[in-house]
Amino acid sequence: GIALAFKNKYPDMFNEYVEDCKKNKFVDLCYTLYIKNGVRILNLLTMSDDMQGSYTRTLAGLYNFAKVIKETDVKSIAIPPCGCGIGGLNKSIIHDEILDIFKDCDVELRMYDFK
């Protein structure tokens, strides 16, 4: 899906993501941010240690990211159905939560693959 497309298009991002996982960098914020050549990609921690989708981790990462967005010059963000692929989270629930989390952010919110 989308994660594989990003892995293929941004191999450096994927390598950093793997290292971040090994170093437990997701623990506090539940996300990491890759920035290179003007591209910004947020990697969310969406699964628990047993590889099951985690609403708690997914939503914590999105809430923390929304706080950062409010303090930046980011004008638009694109969000897929985080945790709904392999993690098995419900797209409808994640969709509604994303709308709620980012409602006070002054950004164009582009949501992909929620149909």
Side-chain angles (χ1 to χ4, degrees), residues 13 16 20 26 31-35 39-43 65 68:
M13 179 269 316
E16 283 186 26
D20 289 344
F26 288 92
Y31 77 84
T32 62
L33 188 60
Y34 168 83
I35 302 173
V39 172
R40 300 178 201 181
I41 301 170
L42 178 80
N43 287 300
F65 182 55
V68 171

Side-chain angles (χ1 to χ4, degrees), residues 91-102:
K91 282 186 181 184
S92 179
I93 292 170
I94 293 297
H95 176 271
D96 293 347
E97 290 291 339
I98 289 171
L99 290 177
D100 185 57
I101 290 168
F102 290 94

Side-chain angles (χ1 to χ4, degrees), residues 4-112:
L4 180 59
F6 273 77
K7 175 185 174 184
N8 292 335
K9 186 168 183 173
Y10 303 101
D12 289 346
M13 179 269 316
F14 179 74
N15 293 334
E16 283 186 26
Y17 168 77
V18 170
E19 288 302 312
D20 289 344
C21 288
K22 289 178 182 176
K23 295 175 183 174
N24 290 321
K25 286 194 173 183
F26 288 92
V27 174
D28 294 330
L29 297 175
C30 295
Y31 77 84
T32 62
L33 188 60
Y34 168 83
I35 302 173
K36 188 171 185 179
N37 299 327
V39 172
R40 300 178 201 181
I41 301 170
L42 178 80
N43 287 300
L44 286 175
L45 179 61
T46 62
M47 291 191 229
S48 59
D49 294 335
D50 61 358
M51 297 303 289
Q52 297 297 311
S54 169
Y55 288 103
T56 302
R57 288 183 173 177
T58 301
L59 298 178
L62 289 168
Y63 273 108
N64 289 328
F65 182 55
K67 288 179 191 175
V68 171
I69 287 294
K70 291 177 183 179
E71 300 170 1
T72 68
D73 63 346
V74 172
K75 301 294 181 213
S76 69
I77 55 175
I79 301 179
C82 311
C84 297
I86 295 170
L89 302 181
N90 182 292
K91 282 186 181 184
S92 179
I93 292 170
I94 293 297
H95 176 271
D96 293 347
E97 290 291 339
I98 289 171
L99 290 177
D100 185 57
I101 290 168
F102 290 94
K103 71 180 179 231
D104 296 326
C105 294
D106 188 23
V107 298
E108 176 186 357
L109 185 61
R110 299 178 189 172
M111 298 174 70
Y112 291 93

